[in-house]
Amino acid sequence: MAGSDTIAPAPAPPETVKILIAGGFGVGKTTMVGSVSEIAPLRTEEPLTVAGLAVDDLDGIEEKRATTVALDFGRITIGQDLVLYLFGTPGQQRFWFMWNDLALGALGAVVLIDVRRPKSSFAAVDFFERRGIPFVVGVNGFYGEHPYPAEAVRDALALPENVRVLLCDARERDSCRNVLIALLDQLIAAAIEDGGGGKLIRPPR
């Protein structure tokens, strides 16, 4: 058979990984997904209204005018063989019931922290710790400012040493990408430790 008749095998499709972008109300989740996504992000934002003043804590974020009511969605290609699907969670407490569904199939998460309102992120940290979902913490520096070093944030949140804490700016693509790569490095290191040879292992459905 002539060699020219040989058909080369089709390249394998890239591995797809689901990542959650989580945190409290107004920490920058929608901004991060929009900054890093290579596609036009899906957003489910609605304007804040007077009716929500009794339940929405706007202390420190008085300028906020809209909020995510379902999810944000974006995509970023890390390499030829790896694509991340990003799902931003709603931050208001009355929408937290959706987090369990959004977490299905997620390999890991980024928990965004706003040091102006640190208590708003305690519940997100607790959510992933209780479910055994690996996560990193991104300290979002609003206006580019980081008044506290990463280790001070780690101590304040009582995080174990295996959880990486990174200073970031949710408005900057490269900064957000570095946080996602740090999460992937953490997932790969855990897979090596568990005998998976460094291959990302999907959680049971």
Side-chain angles (χ1 to χ4, degrees):
M1 187 174 182
S4 59
D5 294 332
T6 302
I7 299 176
E15 179 77 6
T16 58
V17 174
K18 180 180 181 181
I19 300 296
L20 295 189
I21 310 298
F25 180 44
V27 296
K29 301 180 295 296
T30 297
T31 300
M32 180 176 184
V33 173
S35 295
V36 79
S37 178
E38 64 196 21
I39 62 173
L42 168 67
R43 291 173 174 164
T44 58
E45 286 193 307
E46 293 293 338
L48 292 171
T49 65
V50 174
L53 291 179
V55 291
D56 296 331
D57 179 12
L58 294 176
D59 185 29
I61 53 171
E62 291 82 3
E63 73 283 0
K64 189 170 178 61
R65 295 292 179 264
T67 185
T68 299
V69 296
L71 59 90
D72 299 309
F73 175 77
R75 184 188 72 197
I76 177 173
T77 300
I78 297 297
Q80 291 184 346
D81 57 352
L82 183 61
V83 174
L84 304 186
Y85 290 145
L86 309 176
F87 289 78
T89 64
Q92 292 162 293
Q93 188 171 357
R94 62 183 181 276
F95 297 126
W96 284 358
F97 68 91
M98 299 179 62
W99 286 34
N100 284 320
D101 289 337
L102 290 173
L104 292 176
L107 220 60
V110 173
V111 176
L112 282 183
I113 300 293
D114 178 358
V115 293
R116 302 173 303 174
R117 311 168 77 236
K119 291 183 179 179
S120 68
S121 297
F122 289 158
V125 170
D126 184 65
F127 178 89
F128 294 110
E129 286 182 337
R130 287 179 178 274
R131 287 157 182 80
I133 298 176
F135 65 95
V136 298
V137 168
V139 184
N140 186 18
F142 283 83
Y143 312 111
E145 298 175 356
H146 288 97
Y148 305 103
E151 285 307 309
V153 176
R154 176 190 302 282
D155 292 342
L157 295 176
L159 295 170
E161 287 298 322
N162 66 306
V163 176
R164 294 193 61 182
V165 179
L166 303 102
L167 305 181
C168 67
D169 187 333
R171 303 167 301 173
E172 300 293 334
R173 175 180 172 84
D174 287 345
S175 180
C176 297
R177 190 174 186 273
N178 289 340
V179 173
L180 293 171
I181 290 175
L183 173 60
L184 291 174
D185 288 343
Q186 185 168 301
L187 293 174
I188 291 171
I192 292 174
E193 187 174 329
D194 292 341
K199 181 176 177 57
L200 297 176
I201 303 171
R202 295 185 180 279
R205 294 186 181 276

